Amino acid sequence: MSRILCVSRHAPYQTSHANDALDAVLAAGAFDQDIGLLLIDEGVWQLVTQQDAPYVGKKDLSKKLCALALYGIENIFVHEPSLQGRLLTRDSLCLDNVQLLTNKETRQLFDQYEQILSF
Amino acid sequence: MSTLHTVNKSPFQDNSLASCLQLCSVGDSVLLIEDGAYGASQSSPCAKELISLLNEGTRIYVLENDVRARGLQLLLDGIELTDYQGFVQLSSTHRCIQSWY
Amino acid sequence: MADSLPALDKDGYLLSLGDWSGEVAAILARNEGITLTAQHWEIIELIQAFYKDFELAPANRALVRYIQQTLGGEKGKSIYLMQLFPPNPALIAAKIAGLPRPANCF
């Protein structure tokens, strides 16, 4: 079984990248693959609480993120410098089981996985 | 264990290159393609970071077709030109590819 | 008997959850060879709650876990769901509950 890291770098609603990344992760989870999700750069906006996407005619991405645990996906990583650069903290996030990573830890993460899916 | 990082956005308008360089490990390589080629110019906003990675031995490539198409003349010393065949070769000699787009 | 159903997609799923009713569910179930019992209704309500919580029709694995959390381990089992909604609980239960076809299920 190959270990896959999904790297999600885009904000939720303007493009479909964030949603596509999440669909890929859920699919991998449904088929029992060992997949991790890394949210970095604009991708960290996906985790903000109190999103109300119907205002722009979309489904709430943060609700879908909450389903990850039920798909057996426990390795959710957040690049901490990306949070800090946007004045976000752990308390601003809709998931509490995420692991915050420094630059060094993020570099190590890339080396721990055999495959990367870039979004 | 190494990653090939490809970047296709100009660093003058986007932080993809900056993020990539920040998370590039020793032994990884960086390939600038499409508008990412602007990042190889001497006026690159990431010039300092690129030079420091080059000094540490990281290989930084730029796709020659994209450089020529854009008329880029003054590239940072140490950045290597490569062609599509080189791109394929880089893809096969690294374990994974992370696309910064 | 001329049972009339609201608009369906090509796989037989309701195009709009707004068209769903208990009667529609019973017809959809009958088309799958299922007669709905209280045990079925319990799962139908749960899968609808899942959809409300996550805006997503669950794959089998996620449905089983969700039921484990809400109804406990006796019912949160593939075999229990398989008996109620054969041959593929996620697909069949979603169809009867008026949800879209779950992705990642064959």
Side-chain angles (χ1 to χ4, degrees):
Chain A
M1 188 170 73
S2 76
R3 307 187 69 221
I4 308 166
L5 179 65
C6 177
V7 181
S8 184
R9 295 185 53 242
H10 294 267
Y13 302 114
Q14 186 150 332
T15 66
S16 69
H17 296 315
N19 195 46
D20 294 345
L22 209 41
D23 283 345
V25 172
L26 290 171
F31 290 105
D32 220 2
Q33 298 294 302
D34 184 358
I35 189 158
L37 173 64
L38 169 65
L39 297 158
I40 180 172
D41 292 335
E42 293 290 85
V44 300
W45 293 119
Q46 295 171 36
L47 285 168
V48 167
T49 53
Q50 298 192 322
Q51 295 174 47
D52 204 345
Y55 272 108
V56 290
K58 301 272 168 72
K59 284 187 175 184
D60 240 304
L61 202 77
S62 54
K63 285 193 178 180
K64 223 173 179 179
L65 277 165
C66 294
L68 288 172
L70 290 167
Y71 281 73
I73 295 146
E74 277 143 16
N75 292 316
I76 306 168
F77 307 99
V78 180
H79 183 237
E80 196 168 18
S82 299
L83 281 184
Q84 289 163 345
R86 291 161 182 79
L87 296 184
L88 297 171
T89 62
R90 193 179 263 287
D91 294 336
S92 329
L93 310 182
C94 61
L95 291 181
D96 52 15
N97 61 338
V98 299
Q99 302 173 49
L100 304 191
L101 303 182
T102 62
N103 282 330
K104 188 180 171 204
E105 288 163 339
T106 308
R107 283 194 286 269
Q108 289 166 346
L109 188 74
F110 278 110
D111 281 338
Q112 286 162 17
Y113 283 84
E114 289 158 28
Q115 308 277 340
I116 296 177
L117 293 176
S118 316
F119 287 93
Chain B
M1 307 291 259
S2 67
T3 304
L4 173 65
H5 300 265
T6 66
V7 180
N8 78 339
K9 292 281 190 301
S10 168
F12 290 93
Q13 74 143 47
D14 188 280
N15 75 337
S16 294
L17 180 58
S19 293
C20 163
L21 299 179
Q22 182 174 266
L23 295 173
C24 181
S25 297
V26 177
D28 288 358
S29 304
V30 178
L31 172 61
L32 305 172
I33 57 173
E34 302 169 13
D35 278 352
Y38 291 114
S41 72
Q42 288 183 2
S43 57
S44 177
C46 298
K48 214 176 92 192
E49 292 78 6
L50 283 164
I51 291 165
S52 127
L53 281 172
L54 285 164
N55 288 339
E56 287 167 21
T58 303
R59 311 280 294 264
I60 317 265
Y61 302 86
V62 59
L63 200 62
E64 187 171 3
N65 295 60
D66 287 320
V67 171
R68 288 181 179 270
R70 287 163 179 75
L72 288 174
Q73 305 284 341
L74 297 172
L75 301 186
L76 287 166
D77 281 343
I79 293 188
E80 301 170 62
L81 292 171
T82 189
D83 55 14
Y84 288 109
Q85 221 172 345
F87 189 166
V88 173
Q89 205 143 26
L90 286 171
S91 307
S92 64
T93 53
H94 291 76
R95 191 175 46 102
C96 318
I97 303 182
Q98 160 64 12
S99 309
W100 303 81
Y101 64 90
Chain C
M1 192 170 128
D3 289 324
S4 65
L5 278 172
L8 304 176
D9 71 9
K10 63 175 171 45
D11 297 316
Y13 291 74
L14 284 193
L15 285 176
S16 167
L17 180 54
D19 291 335
W20 186 85
S21 67
E23 285 165 17
V24 168
I27 300 169
L28 290 166
R30 200 181 318 143
N31 291 345
E32 299 294 333
I34 295 169
T35 306
L36 296 178
T37 65
Q39 288 164 313
H40 292 93
W41 285 111
E42 185 177 47
I43 303 302
I44 290 169
E45 280 168 25
L46 272 177
I47 198 171
Q48 288 179 335
F50 186 107
Y51 188 72
K52 193 160 170 279
D53 286 349
F54 307 114
E55 303 203 332
L56 180 69
N60 278 303
R61 177 179 189 177
L63 180 60
V64 169
R65 284 192 186 215
Y66 190 68
I67 292 170
Q68 277 169 8
Q69 288 176 6
T70 44
L71 300 179
E74 276 303 303
K75 291 177 174 174
K77 283 195 181 120
S78 298
I79 184 82
Y80 176 74
L81 297 176
M82 194 69 96
Q83 285 161 357
L84 292 176
F85 300 99
N88 185 323
L91 288 178
I92 304 300
K95 184 182 277 186
I96 296 170
L99 308 188
R101 188 185 194 283
N104 314 315
C105 288
F106 298 119

Short mmCIF file of all heavy atoms in Angstrom, two decimals, chain C residues 52-88:
data_model
loop_
_atom_site.label_atom_id
_atom_site.label_comp_id
_atom_site.label_asym_id
_atom_site.label_seq_id
_atom_site.Cartn_x
_atom_site.Cartn_y
_atom_site.Cartn_z
N LYS C 52 -26.85 15.97 5.95
CA LYS C 52 -27.06 17.33 6.47
C LYS C 52 -25.79 17.83 7.16
O LYS C 52 -25.38 18.97 6.99
CB LYS C 52 -28.23 17.29 7.46
CG LYS C 52 -28.77 18.63 7.86
CD LYS C 52 -30.18 18.48 8.43
CE LYS C 52 -30.64 19.78 9.06
NZ LYS C 52 -30.11 19.98 10.43
N ASP C 53 -25.15 16.93 7.90
CA ASP C 53 -23.93 17.33 8.63
C ASP C 53 -22.77 17.65 7.70
O ASP C 53 -22.02 18.59 7.93
CB ASP C 53 -23.47 16.19 9.56
CG ASP C 53 -24.36 16.06 10.78
OD1 ASP C 53 -25.19 16.96 11.01
OD2 ASP C 53 -24.24 15.05 11.50
N PHE C 54 -22.59 16.83 6.67
CA PHE C 54 -21.35 16.91 5.87
C PHE C 54 -21.57 17.28 4.41
O PHE C 54 -20.61 17.38 3.65
CB PHE C 54 -20.60 15.57 5.96
CG PHE C 54 -20.34 15.11 7.36
CD1 PHE C 54 -20.93 13.96 7.87
CD2 PHE C 54 -19.51 15.84 8.21
CE1 PHE C 54 -20.70 13.54 9.17
CE2 PHE C 54 -19.27 15.43 9.51
CZ PHE C 54 -19.87 14.29 10.00
N GLU C 55 -22.82 17.46 4.00
CA GLU C 55 -23.16 17.79 2.61
C GLU C 55 -22.51 16.81 1.65
O GLU C 55 -21.89 17.19 0.65
CB GLU C 55 -22.76 19.24 2.30
CG GLU C 55 -23.43 20.19 3.26
CD GLU C 55 -23.57 21.61 2.75
OE1 GLU C 55 -22.74 22.02 1.94
OE2 GLU C 55 -24.53 22.27 3.17
N LEU C 56 -22.64 15.55 1.98
CA LEU C 56 -21.93 14.51 1.28
C LEU C 56 -22.70 13.21 1.51
O LEU C 56 -23.12 12.93 2.62
CB LEU C 56 -20.54 14.42 1.94
CG LEU C 56 -19.51 13.44 1.48
CD1 LEU C 56 -19.01 13.82 0.10
CD2 LEU C 56 -18.34 13.45 2.47
N ALA C 57 -22.93 12.42 0.43
CA ALA C 57 -23.52 11.09 0.60
C ALA C 57 -22.39 10.13 0.95
O ALA C 57 -21.40 10.07 0.24
CB ALA C 57 -24.24 10.66 -0.68
N PRO C 58 -22.50 9.41 2.07
CA PRO C 58 -21.35 8.65 2.58
C PRO C 58 -21.02 7.40 1.77
O PRO C 58 -21.90 6.75 1.23
CB PRO C 58 -21.79 8.24 3.99
CG PRO C 58 -23.27 8.20 3.93
CD PRO C 58 -23.68 9.27 2.95
N ALA C 59 -19.72 7.09 1.71
CA ALA C 59 -19.26 5.78 1.24
C ALA C 59 -19.55 4.78 2.37
O ALA C 59 -19.80 5.17 3.51
CB ALA C 59 -17.77 5.83 0.92
N ASN C 60 -19.47 3.48 2.07
CA ASN C 60 -19.82 2.46 3.06
C ASN C 60 -19.05 2.62 4.38
O ASN C 60 -19.62 2.56 5.46
CB ASN C 60 -19.57 1.07 2.48
CG ASN C 60 -20.75 0.61 1.62
OD1 ASN C 60 -21.88 0.57 2.10
ND2 ASN C 60 -20.49 0.32 0.37
N ARG C 61 -17.74 2.82 4.23
CA ARG C 61 -16.90 2.90 5.42
C ARG C 61 -17.33 4.03 6.35
O ARG C 61 -17.41 3.88 7.57
CB ARG C 61 -15.47 3.14 4.93
CG ARG C 61 -14.50 3.31 6.04
CD ARG C 61 -13.12 3.51 5.47
NE ARG C 61 -12.15 3.45 6.55
CZ ARG C 61 -10.86 3.54 6.40
NH1 ARG C 61 -10.35 3.67 5.20
NH2 ARG C 61 -10.06 3.48 7.43
N ALA C 62 -17.63 5.18 5.73
CA ALA C 62 -18.02 6.34 6.53
C ALA C 62 -19.40 6.13 7.17
O ALA C 62 -19.64 6.52 8.31
CB ALA C 62 -18.01 7.59 5.66
N LEU C 63 -20.29 5.47 6.41
CA LEU C 63 -21.63 5.20 6.94
C LEU C 63 -21.54 4.27 8.16
O LEU C 63 -22.19 4.51 9.19
CB LEU C 63 -22.50 4.58 5.83
CG LEU C 63 -23.94 4.25 6.23
CD1 LEU C 63 -24.69 5.50 6.67
CD2 LEU C 63 -24.68 3.58 5.07
N VAL C 64 -20.73 3.23 8.04
CA VAL C 64 -20.58 2.29 9.16
C VAL C 64 -20.06 3.01 10.40
O VAL C 64 -20.60 2.86 11.50
CB VAL C 64 -19.64 1.12 8.77
CG1 VAL C 64 -19.25 0.30 9.98
CG2 VAL C 64 -20.30 0.23 7.72
N ARG C 65 -19.05 3.85 10.22
CA ARG C 65 -18.48 4.57 11.38
C ARG C 65 -19.49 5.53 12.01
O ARG C 65 -19.56 5.67 13.21
CB ARG C 65 -17.26 5.38 10.95
CG ARG C 65 -16.05 4.52 10.74
CD ARG C 65 -14.83 5.40 10.63
NE ARG C 65 -13.69 4.56 10.27
CZ ARG C 65 -12.48 4.78 10.71
NH1 ARG C 65 -12.22 5.80 11.51
NH2 ARG C 65 -11.50 3.99 10.35
N TYR C 66 -20.24 6.18 11.14
CA TYR C 66 -21.23 7.14 11.63
C TYR C 66 -22.29 6.42 12.46
O TYR C 66 -22.70 6.89 13.52
CB TYR C 66 -21.86 7.83 10.41
CG TYR C 66 -22.74 9.02 10.73
CD1 TYR C 66 -22.21 10.20 11.25
CD2 TYR C 66 -24.12 8.98 10.47
CE1 TYR C 66 -23.01 11.30 11.50
CE2 TYR C 66 -24.92 10.07 10.72
CZ TYR C 66 -24.37 11.23 11.24
OH TYR C 66 -25.17 12.32 11.49
N ILE C 67 -22.70 5.25 11.99
CA ILE C 67 -23.71 4.47 12.72
C ILE C 67 -23.13 3.94 14.04
O ILE C 67 -23.80 3.94 15.07
CB ILE C 67 -24.28 3.35 11.83
CG1 ILE C 67 -25.10 4.01 10.70
CG2 ILE C 67 -25.16 2.40 12.63
CD1 ILE C 67 -25.53 3.06 9.62
N GLN C 68 -21.87 3.54 14.00
CA GLN C 68 -21.21 3.13 15.25
C GLN C 68 -21.29 4.24 16.28
O GLN C 68 -21.58 4.01 17.45
CB GLN C 68 -19.72 2.83 15.00
CG GLN C 68 -19.43 1.45 14.47
CD GLN C 68 -18.00 1.31 13.98
OE1 GLN C 68 -17.18 2.21 14.19
NE2 GLN C 68 -17.71 0.20 13.33
N GLN C 69 -21.03 5.46 15.84
CA GLN C 69 -21.01 6.59 16.77
C GLN C 69 -22.40 6.93 17.29
O GLN C 69 -22.54 7.40 18.41
CB GLN C 69 -20.41 7.82 16.09
CG GLN C 69 -18.92 7.70 15.87
CD GLN C 69 -18.33 8.88 15.12
OE1 GLN C 69 -19.02 9.86 14.85
NE2 GLN C 69 -17.05 8.79 14.79
N THR C 70 -23.42 6.73 16.45
CA THR C 70 -24.75 7.15 16.86
C THR C 70 -25.59 6.02 17.47
O THR C 70 -26.27 6.24 18.45
CB THR C 70 -25.51 7.75 15.65
OG1 THR C 70 -25.31 6.91 14.52
CG2 THR C 70 -25.00 9.13 15.32
N LEU C 71 -25.50 4.82 16.88
CA LEU C 71 -26.33 3.72 17.37
C LEU C 71 -25.55 2.64 18.09
O LEU C 71 -26.14 1.71 18.65
CB LEU C 71 -27.09 3.06 16.20
CG LEU C 71 -28.04 3.95 15.38
CD1 LEU C 71 -28.66 3.14 14.26
CD2 LEU C 71 -29.12 4.56 16.26
N GLY C 72 -24.21 2.73 18.02
CA GLY C 72 -23.39 1.73 18.69
C GLY C 72 -22.94 0.62 17.78
O GLY C 72 -23.35 0.52 16.62
N GLY C 73 -22.08 -0.24 18.31
CA GLY C 73 -21.38 -1.25 17.54
C GLY C 73 -22.25 -2.37 16.99
O GLY C 73 -21.91 -3.00 15.99
N GLU C 74 -23.41 -2.65 17.65
CA GLU C 74 -24.27 -3.73 17.16
C GLU C 74 -24.78 -3.44 15.74
O GLU C 74 -24.79 -4.31 14.88
CB GLU C 74 -25.48 -3.91 18.09
CG GLU C 74 -25.21 -4.78 19.30
CD GLU C 74 -24.72 -6.16 18.92
OE1 GLU C 74 -25.44 -6.86 18.18
OE2 GLU C 74 -23.61 -6.54 19.36
N LYS C 75 -25.18 -2.20 15.55
CA LYS C 75 -25.74 -1.82 14.24
C LYS C 75 -24.68 -1.22 13.33
O LYS C 75 -24.85 -1.21 12.11
CB LYS C 75 -26.89 -0.84 14.44
CG LYS C 75 -28.09 -1.53 15.08
CD LYS C 75 -29.25 -0.59 15.36
CE LYS C 75 -30.44 -1.39 15.86
NZ LYS C 75 -31.55 -0.54 16.29
N GLY C 76 -23.61 -0.70 13.93
CA GLY C 76 -22.53 -0.11 13.13
C GLY C 76 -21.62 -1.18 12.58
O GLY C 76 -20.42 -1.21 12.87
N LYS C 77 -22.21 -2.06 11.78
CA LYS C 77 -21.45 -3.17 11.19
C LYS C 77 -21.87 -3.32 9.75
O LYS C 77 -23.05 -3.22 9.43
CB LYS C 77 -21.78 -4.49 11.91
CG LYS C 77 -21.12 -4.66 13.25
CD LYS C 77 -21.22 -6.12 13.67
CE LYS C 77 -20.60 -6.33 15.03
NZ LYS C 77 -21.54 -6.85 16.00
N SER C 78 -20.90 -3.64 8.90
CA SER C 78 -21.21 -3.83 7.47
C SER C 78 -22.28 -4.91 7.29
O SER C 78 -23.20 -4.75 6.49
CB SER C 78 -19.97 -4.25 6.70
OG SER C 78 -19.01 -3.25 6.77
N ILE C 79 -22.18 -5.98 8.07
CA ILE C 79 -23.07 -7.12 7.85
C ILE C 79 -24.53 -6.75 8.16
O ILE C 79 -25.45 -7.13 7.43
CB ILE C 79 -22.60 -8.35 8.69
CG1 ILE C 79 -23.44 -9.59 8.43
CG2 ILE C 79 -22.56 -8.05 10.16
CD1 ILE C 79 -23.02 -10.33 7.20
N TYR C 80 -24.71 -5.94 9.22
CA TYR C 80 -26.07 -5.50 9.57
C TYR C 80 -26.66 -4.66 8.44
O TYR C 80 -27.81 -4.87 8.02
CB TYR C 80 -26.01 -4.70 10.87
CG TYR C 80 -27.33 -4.10 11.29
CD1 TYR C 80 -28.35 -4.89 11.83
CD2 TYR C 80 -27.57 -2.73 11.15
CE1 TYR C 80 -29.56 -4.34 12.22
CE2 TYR C 80 -28.78 -2.16 11.53
CZ TYR C 80 -29.78 -2.97 12.07
OH TYR C 80 -30.97 -2.42 12.43
N LEU C 81 -25.86 -3.73 7.91
CA LEU C 81 -26.34 -2.86 6.84
C LEU C 81 -26.57 -3.65 5.56
O LEU C 81 -27.51 -3.38 4.80
CB LEU C 81 -25.34 -1.73 6.59
CG LEU C 81 -25.13 -0.79 7.77
CD1 LEU C 81 -24.04 0.23 7.44
CD2 LEU C 81 -26.42 -0.06 8.13
N MET C 82 -25.72 -4.63 5.35
CA MET C 82 -25.83 -5.46 4.15
C MET C 82 -27.14 -6.23 4.14
O MET C 82 -27.77 -6.41 3.10
CB MET C 82 -24.64 -6.43 4.12
CG MET C 82 -24.43 -7.12 2.81
SD MET C 82 -23.89 -5.96 1.56
CE MET C 82 -22.12 -6.22 1.67
N GLN C 83 -27.56 -6.69 5.33
CA GLN C 83 -28.83 -7.42 5.41
C GLN C 83 -30.01 -6.51 5.09
O GLN C 83 -30.98 -6.93 4.47
CB GLN C 83 -29.00 -8.03 6.80
CG GLN C 83 -28.11 -9.25 7.01
CD GLN C 83 -27.92 -9.59 8.48
OE1 GLN C 83 -28.41 -8.88 9.37
NE2 GLN C 83 -27.21 -10.68 8.73
N LEU C 84 -29.89 -5.24 5.52
CA LEU C 84 -31.01 -4.32 5.29
C LEU C 84 -31.04 -3.78 3.87
O LEU C 84 -32.10 -3.61 3.28
CB LEU C 84 -30.91 -3.14 6.28
CG LEU C 84 -31.14 -3.44 7.75
CD1 LEU C 84 -30.91 -2.18 8.58
CD2 LEU C 84 -32.54 -3.98 7.99
N PHE C 85 -29.85 -3.43 3.35
CA PHE C 85 -29.78 -2.76 2.05
C PHE C 85 -28.81 -3.47 1.10
O PHE C 85 -27.79 -2.92 0.71
CB PHE C 85 -29.33 -1.29 2.24
CG PHE C 85 -30.25 -0.48 3.09
CD1 PHE C 85 -29.96 -0.25 4.44
CD2 PHE C 85 -31.41 0.09 2.55
CE1 PHE C 85 -30.81 0.51 5.23
CE2 PHE C 85 -32.26 0.86 3.34
CZ PHE C 85 -31.97 1.07 4.69
N PRO C 86 -29.14 -4.72 0.73
CA PRO C 86 -28.25 -5.41 -0.19
C PRO C 86 -28.40 -4.83 -1.60
O PRO C 86 -29.46 -4.27 -1.91
CB PRO C 86 -28.79 -6.86 -0.15
CG PRO C 86 -30.23 -6.73 0.18
CD PRO C 86 -30.33 -5.52 1.08
N PRO C 87 -27.39 -4.95 -2.48
CA PRO C 87 -26.09 -5.59 -2.22
C PRO C 87 -25.03 -4.57 -1.78
O PRO C 87 -23.93 -4.97 -1.45
CB PRO C 87 -25.72 -6.17 -3.59
CG PRO C 87 -26.32 -5.19 -4.56
CD PRO C 87 -27.55 -4.62 -3.90
N ASN C 88 -25.35 -3.28 -1.79
CA ASN C 88 -24.37 -2.25 -1.43
C ASN C 88 -25.05 -1.18 -0.59
O ASN C 88 -25.73 -0.30 -1.11
CB ASN C 88 -23.77 -1.64 -2.71
CG ASN C 88 -22.67 -0.65 -2.40
OD1 ASN C 88 -22.73 0.10 -1.43
ND2 ASN C 88 -21.65 -0.63 -3.24
#
